[in-house]
């Protein structure tokens, strides 16, 4: 008798590909035959079912519509399964996983994203270990309570909080990092769960799914020498509701008059400006330097230690639900599921 049930959802990406014998090219394999590729799955104590996107996609083609399709699959199966493993291309996995963490309120079951750098059919693949351990984590319960009741990302022996991750390497097996939050678990001979940093079960048991996104946002990465033209054109784009400024260090930007005036004008026109640092670790503090204070005084919203992936997906989801500027800012600044310090 299997005691736990896990649903495997294949969206696309390298992990689900095999080499076509005739052409030598990589192509997605029929996911319903996953146990032929990974016979180890038959040895699990939990029951594993799998479903796949009708047309598996490279994760570069993910967008809010595909996030919605994915979360609908989870919602439709939420009661029936104890945990979910999402197989996803690594390129935008941090975005999708962050978005999913914000789309589901009061999540009380594990959702573990994973993928691989080498296809599962290749002899040196990292896909088998990633898949097998992700299933183990998604089915891990003690006294009917899941060990990881949150959206997580498992890669190369480490379990991360999904909305804290960034893809770091296009080459190494350890492709992901979470710079501003400790790992949730590490897999060795045993899986060592760090319960002090894992989200507890939500008090409110009623799970809720949110599906409305507003994509009218943009990211402006500052660099020394950025021209006035570039900045003013960027801020003047039509139908833009919010702009994320990627600033330096602890949230600093040039104090040139034309720059601050352009930001001020955009804010007066109702555009929300968010400050996220280009640094991978550390956080925005707009009161630390003169170069940050200018932005703070104009009403730029400090993004704390959010990753750019979290900032983008959280902002799109909030704007999909309200256009009231003060509500957007209030919701953005609130910590939803441990995405910020
Ligand atoms: N381009 C692939 C994707 O993100 C790479 C991968 O799966 O790792 O879908």
């Amino acid at each position: 008798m299997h005691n736990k049930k896990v649903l495997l959802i294949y969206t696309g990406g390298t992990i689900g590909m095999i080499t076509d014998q005739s052409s030598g090219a990589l192509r997605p394999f029929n996911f319903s035959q996953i146990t032929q590729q990974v016979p180890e799955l038959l040895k699990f104590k939990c029951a594993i079912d799998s479903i796949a996107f009708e047309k598996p996609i490279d994760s570069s083609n993910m967008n809010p519509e595909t996030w919605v399709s994915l979360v609908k699959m989870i919602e439709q199966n939420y009661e029936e399964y104890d945990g979910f493993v999402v197989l996803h291309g690594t390129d935008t996995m941090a975005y999708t996983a962050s978005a999913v963490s914000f789309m589901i309120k009061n999540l009380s079951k594990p959702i573990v994203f994973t993928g691989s750098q080498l296809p599962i059919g290749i002899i040196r693949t990292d896909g088998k270990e990633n898949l097998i351990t992700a299933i183990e984590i998604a089915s891990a319960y003690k006294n009917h309570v899941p060990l990881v009741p949150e959206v997580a990302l498992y890669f190369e022996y480490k379990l991360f909080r999904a909305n804290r991750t960034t893809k770091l390497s296009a080459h190494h097996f350890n492709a992901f990092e979470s710079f501003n939050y400790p790992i949730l678990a590490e897999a060795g001979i045993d899986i060592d769960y760090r319960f002090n940093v894992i989200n507890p079960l939500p008090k409110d048991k009623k799970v809720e799914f949110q599906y409305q996104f507003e994509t009218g946002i943009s990211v402006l990465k500052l660099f020394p020498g950025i021209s006035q033209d570039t900045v003013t054109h960027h801020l003047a784009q039509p139908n833009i509701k919010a702009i994320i400024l990627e600033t330096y260090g602890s949230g600093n930007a040039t104090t040139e008059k034309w720059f601050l005036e352009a930001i001020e004008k955009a804010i007066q026109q109702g555009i929300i400006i968010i400050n996220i640092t280009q640094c991978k670790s550390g956080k925005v503090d707009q009161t630390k330097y003169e170069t940050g204070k200018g932005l703070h005084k104009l009403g730029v919203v400090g993004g704390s230690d959010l990753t750019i992936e979290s900032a983008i997906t959280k902002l799109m989801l909030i704007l999909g639900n309200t256009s009231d500027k003060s509500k957007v800012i209030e919701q953005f600044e609130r910590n939803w599921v441990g995405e910020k310090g």
Side-chain angles (χ1 to χ4, degrees):
M1 240 293 269
H2 292 308
N3 47 5
K4 292 285 169 254
K5 282 179 85 178
V6 170
L7 184 63
L8 209 56
I9 304 176
Y10 177 56
T11 66
T14 301
I15 191 165
M17 300 202 169
I18 46 166
T19 311
D20 190 287
Q21 294 304 333
S22 51
S23 70
L26 286 176
R27 62 163 174 77
F29 63 81
N30 180 348
F31 208 75
S32 59
Q33 290 157 12
I34 177 76
T35 47
Q36 283 175 16
Q37 296 299 324
V38 193
E40 291 88 341
L41 295 181
L42 297 168
K43 296 189 185 158
F44 264 96
K45 273 198 244 117
C46 64
I48 304 163
D49 291 331
S50 64
I51 49 175
F53 273 19
E54 206 173 317
K55 199 171 173 297
I57 54 173
D58 186 290
S59 76
S60 300
N61 286 319
M62 283 281 171
N63 56 39
E65 262 176 53
T66 47
W67 301 338
V68 167
S69 308
L70 171 60
V71 175
K72 289 239 155 107
M73 283 176 159
I74 294 173
E75 183 178 10
Q76 278 153 14
N77 291 286
Y78 192 75
E79 294 310 324
E80 207 187 317
Y81 290 89
D82 301 291
F84 301 83
V85 171
V86 179
L87 299 179
H88 194 288
T90 56
D91 291 349
T92 69
M93 194 189 308
Y95 289 88
T96 304
S98 299
V100 171
S101 80
F102 300 130
M103 293 167 77
I104 309 177
K105 206 170 149 196
N106 300 325
L107 175 70
S108 62
K109 298 184 178 190
I111 299 179
V112 185
F113 277 75
T114 196
S116 68
Q117 295 283 61
L118 282 177
I120 220 149
I122 301 249
I123 202 153
R124 288 182 55 248
T125 186
D126 51 333
K128 278 194 184 184
E129 198 287 317
N130 285 348
L131 172 60
I132 289 167
T133 307
I135 294 173
E136 193 160 336
I137 293 167
S139 61
Y141 275 65
K142 193 175 175 195
N143 301 330
H144 307 291
V145 176
L147 299 192
V148 186
E150 58 174 289
V151 183
L153 189 155
Y154 180 76
F155 222 87
E156 187 67 0
Y157 304 110
K158 288 186 183 137
L159 184 74
F160 305 100
R161 172 163 299 157
N163 54 37
R164 294 291 196 148
T165 58
T166 294
K167 182 173 178 182
L168 202 66
S169 174
H171 175 67
H172 291 115
F173 282 143
N174 56 339
F176 288 88
E177 196 47 86
S178 160
F179 289 100
N180 283 328
Y181 199 74
I183 56 171
L184 306 183
E186 191 162 15
I189 290 177
D190 296 310
I191 300 177
D192 175 15
Y193 292 94
R194 315 277 159 85
F195 294 109
N196 57 328
V197 292
I198 296 174
N199 279 340
L201 265 185
K203 288 194 187 74
D204 186 349
K205 293 278 176 285
K206 205 180 163 312
V207 63
E208 278 173 46
F209 299 86
Q210 283 195 63
Y211 292 111
Q212 262 346 85
F213 284 93
E214 162 61 63
T215 55
I217 71 162
S218 168
V219 179
L220 174 59
K221 183 170 185 157
L222 299 185
F223 55 91
I226 192 168
S227 72
Q228 184 168 357
D229 261 5
T230 302
V231 172
T232 45
H233 278 105
H234 198 104
L235 297 175
Q237 291 170 83
N239 304 321
I240 285 289
K241 310 276 182 303
I243 291 173
I244 296 173
L245 268 189
E246 276 201 282
T247 57
Y248 312 124
S250 53
N252 306 314
T254 173
T255 49
E256 282 189 74
K257 196 163 169 278
W258 63 263
F259 177 76
L260 292 173
E261 279 174 5
I263 297 289
E264 185 174 23
K265 189 172 160 211
I267 291 176
Q268 277 165 1
Q269 284 167 350
I271 295 176
I272 296 162
I273 313 258
I274 309 275
N275 186 344
I276 297 287
T277 175
Q278 293 175 20
C279 292
K280 293 287 170 222
S281 96
K283 66 176 183 180
V284 167
D285 176 356
Q286 296 188 126
T287 61
K288 206 166 172 185
Y289 292 93
E290 241 3 88
T291 43
K293 274 192 175 144
L295 298 177
H296 180 63
K297 273 193 219 133
L298 295 176
V300 172
V301 180
S304 185
D305 61 352
L306 284 176
T307 61
I308 189 73
E309 294 87 343
S310 266
I312 290 172
T313 53
K314 185 175 177 182
L315 193 56
M316 287 203 285
L317 193 63
I318 295 169
L319 286 165
N321 288 284
T322 179
S323 53
D324 180 320
K325 199 173 160 182
S326 58
K327 278 195 193 143
V328 173
I329 295 172
E330 184 268 315
Q331 286 183 28
F332 187 81
E333 286 183 324
R334 193 151 24 90
N335 192 352
W336 292 15
V337 276
E339 71 277 13
K340 57 182 278 209

